[in-house]
Amino acid sequence: MEKISVAVRFRPPTTAAPAADQSPSSTGGDREWRVDDDTRITLLHRSAPVPGASFAFDHVFDGAATNERIYGVLVRSLIRAAVDGFNGTAFAYGQTSSGKTFTMNGSADHPGIIPLAVRDVFDTAREVSDREFLIRVSYMEIYNEEINDLLTLGSEKLPIHESLERGVYVSGLREEIVNSAEQVFKLLELGEANRHFGETNMNVRSSRSHTIFRMVIESSAKNHMDSGDAIRVSVLNLVDLAGSERIAKTGAGGVRLKEGKHINKSLMILGNVINKLSENGKQRGHIPYRDSKLTRILQPALGGNAKTSIICTAASEEIHVEETRGTLQFASRAKCVSNCAQVNEILTDAALLKRQKQEIEELRKKLQGSHSEVLEQVILKQRNDMHKSELERDRLAMELDEERRLRETLEHRLAEQQKMLDGISNTSISPDQFTDSIQFESLKTPTSKERPAEFVASRANYSKDVEFSPIPENLGTVADEDLWMQLNKGCVTDLEMLEMTPGFKCAPSLADDKASVATPDEEPIDARCQRLEKDCTADRQQLEDSKARRAALEDERDTLKRENSSLLDALAKARQDADRLVADRLEALRELDVEKSRMDELKQEIKLFSQAFSLRQGQLTSLYTKSKAIVENCKTSQLALP
């Protein structure tokens, strides 16, 4: 385990100050900061230490410190470790206009940490003679919680992904393979031209986004093409954070106000992550890395596998005492965070360098004898083309996965809807669904009327062959032709005239019993079937209309849900704004109380001064009276002399 290295840098005061002394303690006023032994800083009030306002860090730099000195003390060891295979991160934190961008980027005369680190990476790599290196760089910004690629115009709103092979990475981010510091400087100029800047009351060129300059350093042993030697892959992050803002001081409004809200929110989440990491392991709860894209990207550097250095910049003026105190409290908590850094070695073909060795070995052999710059450019171009193809392949694979998940989701929804439709179509019709019994009877399948089973008449047309046409021994309710002759005394009875049930006539034969003959007052079967078919068609149309109405109602329900969600989001934002306004009001009240206390102190001092002045005036008057009496006495004595 290794503690995060934390240093504090005070920028020179913006107001007029003696040139011989630019330390924080030379700014004047009742409250001032004093640096002790370059490691401790204390807040003084009228030259007396303020209780609870003393902080100790690894290094404390005053306004006279240069970027090169800060880099040498704090970051150079980080670069050496990154070349050796350790992940490294260095970032500047502080209020707006405190010198973060100057510390990280510097100027033409005073280069900052990023250009110094770039040169140091290539110089250190050249000193390592037994390994060969492949370096690629990327440059991104987080503007209003959206990730933009500063090296490619139009590449905005990039997503964050995580894999076992690459860890946490930004998908679609352009990476350039470089072989010199000058190439990196050109890419940095391109990125700075695309970065968001703005003007506020505190800074003419204020950073409106967090920027992350990333260098991926891959290395392997020379002359071991087939030995399976491990490849070292390290990631170096150089981060320039936007400064925390107080609206009362910056005077931000409109777009600047929105930018300030997102900046303060991400910095607040960063502070929450640091607070959680600084707690004891038993008391530590959930660490909210995913609440902000900044902390999500920097997750390995905060309590993970990386060496981390933090430069906290502060303003020494008395007007910024409270902001400086908050910065020092953040730095003090960050000093308690521990990382577990280790060399990153892989034995698979995942590293880009190992995938390219075989393809560029032939060109390298040609280059060894001629030292041709043309062949070097060809190798670099081939590396960039291969790397772009790898990134394009990864992007297409992710898009294919998204399309596959979307298709599965749609198929599932279609299957659910088909089940619902089948359930509706298979729903049985019960008499409870109809209020009119006639309407329900009309939907039944037409059948012939039931015949009573009390009596069955049949004609005996059997042949003389007893085997095939036996005479029934027990007649029961069955009567044959001879029985009818005996009962009717020889008279032949027309069976068609025989009424078995009132209102029902028997068919002339058993074969004709299978068909039912309609009476003139009954509806024909064909007409009835047509009418029922029309009714079924109407019912089907009514069912389709019901389905359409249901779909419309579902769409309306979804619309209402979306409106409700948007209203809830707006309400949450309004509550956040209200909380922020309440916090600003409380802060203003606290500042007003401080001003009132200062005014009371000033009144007390004026009162004491008035009393002292009155006392002094009385003494002077008494002295004047005594002097005048002495002069009069002298004159009188001179006149008395002869």
Side-chain angles (χ1 to χ4, degrees):
M1 301 297 288
E2 181 181 357
K3 294 287 186 181
I4 291 179
S5 179
V6 181
V8 176
R9 181 185 190 180
F10 280 91
R11 65 162 170 77
T14 56
T15 57
D21 184 11
Q22 291 183 346
S23 65
S25 60
S26 63
T27 58
D30 291 340
R31 293 183 295 177
E32 56 186 3
W33 296 98
R34 184 184 67 192
V35 177
D36 300 325
D37 301 330
D38 293 335
T39 58
R40 179 173 292 277
I41 183 168
T42 305
L43 178 62
L44 304 179
H45 180 68
R46 295 182 181 179
S47 302
V50 177
S54 181
F55 306 91
F57 305 103
D58 296 317
H59 305 280
V60 178
F61 302 98
D62 58 12
T66 62
N67 288 339
E68 187 173 1
R69 179 191 170 195
I70 296 173
Y71 173 79
V73 172
L74 202 64
V75 185
R76 178 169 283 121
S77 60
L78 202 68
I79 303 303
R80 301 297 175 89
V83 174
D84 291 338
F86 291 91
N87 293 332
T89 299
F91 65 87
Y93 176 92
Q95 73 171 104
T96 183
S97 75
S98 60
K100 297 179 301 301
T101 301
F102 178 77
T103 301
M104 298 303 297
N105 296 335
S107 61
D109 298 331
H110 303 282
I113 289 176
I114 293 179
L116 292 174
V118 170
R119 288 197 180 277
D120 206 1
V121 165
F122 286 97
D123 294 341
T124 306
R126 280 192 292 268
E127 294 175 359
V128 182
S129 59
D130 59 341
R131 301 187 71 85
E132 58 181 354
F133 292 85
L134 177 69
I135 301 174
R136 59 183 189 268
V137 299
S138 61
Y139 202 12
M140 73 186 91
E141 73 168 356
I142 303 176
Y143 176 70
N144 289 347
E145 278 302 302
E146 293 179 354
I147 301 176
N148 303 329
D149 190 350
L150 293 178
L151 301 182
T152 304
L153 287 176
S155 183
E156 301 176 349
K157 300 181 180 180
L158 302 179
I160 299 176
H161 294 283
E162 184 176 7
S163 65
L164 295 175
E165 182 179 333
R166 299 180 61 182
V168 179
Y169 66 97
V170 178
S171 176
L173 187 65
R174 173 186 173 186
E175 289 185 336
E176 284 289 331
I177 299 176
V178 292
N179 56 7
S180 66
E182 285 69 22
Q183 286 182 314
V184 180
F185 293 152
K186 291 181 180 179
L187 294 174
L188 285 173
E189 291 179 1
L190 175 62
E192 287 297 312
N194 297 330
R195 185 180 178 183
H196 286 83
F197 290 97
E199 182 179 357
T200 64
N201 293 344
M202 297 185 66
N203 198 348
V204 177
R205 195 169 186 266
S206 175
S207 302
R208 313 310 296 168
S209 63
H210 310 301
T211 60
I212 302 175
F213 177 71
R214 174 170 290 183
M215 301 182 72
V216 180
I217 305 171
E218 299 185 13
S219 68
S220 65
K222 291 183 178 179
N223 302 323
H224 289 80
M225 294 297 297
D226 301 323
S227 64
D229 183 68
I231 296 177
R232 297 176 183 174
V233 181
S234 60
V235 179
L236 176 63
N237 294 315
L238 301 175
V239 186
D240 179 18
L241 299 178
S244 58
E245 298 182 356
R246 182 172 292 182
I247 301 174
K249 291 184 177 181
T250 60
V255 177
R256 297 289 172 264
L257 179 60
K258 181 181 178 182
E259 295 169 346
K261 289 180 180 179
H262 286 286
I263 292 171
N264 290 340
K265 179 181 178 182
S266 60
L267 294 178
M268 179 190 67
I269 296 173
L270 175 62
N272 293 338
V273 170
I274 293 295
N275 289 342
K276 289 292 184 180
L277 292 173
S278 63
E279 293 176 355
N280 191 1
K282 296 181 179 180
Q283 299 176 354
R284 183 184 303 174
H286 168 69
I287 302 175
Y289 288 115
R290 296 178 181 270
D291 290 355
S292 171
K293 294 184 177 179
L294 174 65
T295 53
R296 186 77 175 103
I297 295 175
L298 298 181
Q299 182 174 350
L302 303 173
N305 177 23
K307 292 178 176 289
T308 305
S309 296
I310 302 177
I311 304 101
C312 293
T313 58
S316 57
E317 292 84 359
E318 184 181 6
I319 192 175
H320 301 307
V321 165
E322 297 302 327
E323 289 84 352
T324 301
R325 188 200 295 262
T327 301
L328 297 179
Q329 289 174 349
F330 170 86
S332 181
R333 289 189 293 267
K335 190 72 179 66
C336 301
V337 178
S338 298
N339 288 351
C340 183
Q342 56 186 359
V343 176
N344 300 293
E345 293 183 343
I346 56 176
L347 297 173
T348 64
D349 291 336
L352 181 62
L353 180 63
K354 195 166 186 177
R355 290 197 300 266
Q356 293 181 352
K357 273 189 174 182
Q358 296 291 346
E359 288 80 1
I360 67 176
E361 184 62 23
E362 185 177 353
L363 292 175
R364 186 177 296 279
K365 290 179 180 179
K366 295 179 181 179
L367 184 63
Q368 287 177 355
S370 61
H371 300 286
S372 173
E373 296 182 358
V374 177
L375 290 178
E376 186 69 26
Q377 293 296 326
V378 170
I379 292 176
L380 183 61
K381 184 177 182 300
Q382 183 186 13
R383 283 179 169 179
N384 277 311
D385 292 341
M386 293 179 65
H387 183 53
K388 289 179 181 178
S389 64
E390 292 288 338
L391 294 177
E392 184 67 17
R393 186 189 67 180
D394 294 340
R395 185 183 65 82
L396 292 177
M398 286 187 293
E399 290 181 357
L400 182 61
D401 292 337
E402 292 291 337
E403 290 290 339
R404 186 181 295 109
R405 286 194 294 269
L406 181 60
R407 185 183 65 184
E408 291 176 356
T409 303
L410 291 176
E411 290 178 353
H412 179 70
R413 293 180 60 185
L414 289 175
E416 292 293 334
Q417 292 181 358
Q418 186 63 36
K419 289 180 181 180
M420 294 175 63
L421 293 177
D422 294 341
I424 293 175
S425 300
N426 296 331
T427 303
S428 61
I429 301 176
S430 62
D432 298 336
Q433 297 176 352
F434 298 91
T435 58
D436 190 359
S437 61
I438 298 177
Q439 182 182 4
F440 176 70
E441 290 292 330
S442 64
L443 294 177
K444 290 184 177 180
T445 303
T447 57
S448 59
K449 293 183 179 181
E450 297 180 357
R451 296 182 179 181
E454 289 84 358
F455 185 83
V456 178
S458 64
R459 294 180 181 272
N461 291 325
Y462 54 87
S463 63
K464 294 181 180 180
D465 192 350
V466 180
E467 183 179 358
F468 295 95
S469 300
I471 298 175
E473 297 178 357
N474 187 11
L475 295 176
T477 57
V478 180
D480 58 6
E481 184 178 0
D482 296 334
L483 179 60
W484 281 109
M485 290 290 293
Q486 295 175 6
L487 293 175
N488 291 283
K489 297 180 181 181
C491 298
V492 179
T493 305
D494 187 4
L495 293 178
E496 294 181 358
M497 298 300 295
L498 182 62
E499 293 184 1
M500 305 181 71
T501 303
F504 178 80
K505 292 186 177 181
C506 182
S509 64
L510 290 176
D512 295 335
D513 289 342
K514 298 179 181 179
S516 177
V517 179
T519 57
D521 57 346
E522 292 182 349
E523 182 181 6
I525 295 177
D526 294 338
R528 187 176 183 182
C529 290
Q530 293 178 0
R531 180 174 59 80
L532 293 176
E533 184 177 359
K534 290 180 181 179
D535 294 340
C536 291
T537 303
D539 292 337
R540 291 193 187 98
Q541 184 64 34
Q542 186 178 3
L543 179 62
E544 294 296 332
D545 294 340
S546 300
K547 291 179 180 178
R549 287 195 301 271
R550 185 192 65 186
L553 291 175
E554 289 179 351
D555 293 339
E556 185 177 358
R557 181 196 61 189
D558 295 338
T559 303
L560 292 175
K561 285 184 178 180
R562 288 192 294 269
E563 291 179 356
N564 187 25
S565 178
S566 62
L567 290 175
L568 291 176
D569 293 340
L571 180 60
K573 291 181 180 179
R575 287 177 177 174
Q576 292 178 358
D577 294 339
D579 294 339
R580 179 183 55 78
L581 291 176
V582 171
D584 292 342
R585 179 174 174 274
L586 294 177
E587 184 66 23
L589 290 175
R590 285 194 293 269
E591 292 179 357
L592 182 60
D593 293 337
V594 173
E595 293 296 332
K596 286 182 178 179
S597 61
R598 293 181 60 185
M599 184 178 294
D600 293 337
E601 293 176 358
L602 184 60
K603 288 181 179 179
Q604 187 66 23
E605 291 178 357
I606 292 174
K607 184 177 179 180
L608 295 175
F609 179 77
S610 299
Q611 293 176 356
F613 180 77
S614 299
L615 180 61
R616 184 64 175 172
Q617 187 177 8
Q619 293 176 354
L620 290 176
T621 303
S622 176
L623 181 61
Y624 174 75
T625 303
K626 292 179 180 180
S627 300
K628 187 176 180 181
I630 293 172
V631 170
E632 291 295 335
N633 292 332
C634 291
K635 287 182 179 180
T636 304
S637 59
Q638 288 179 358
L639 291 176
L641 291 174

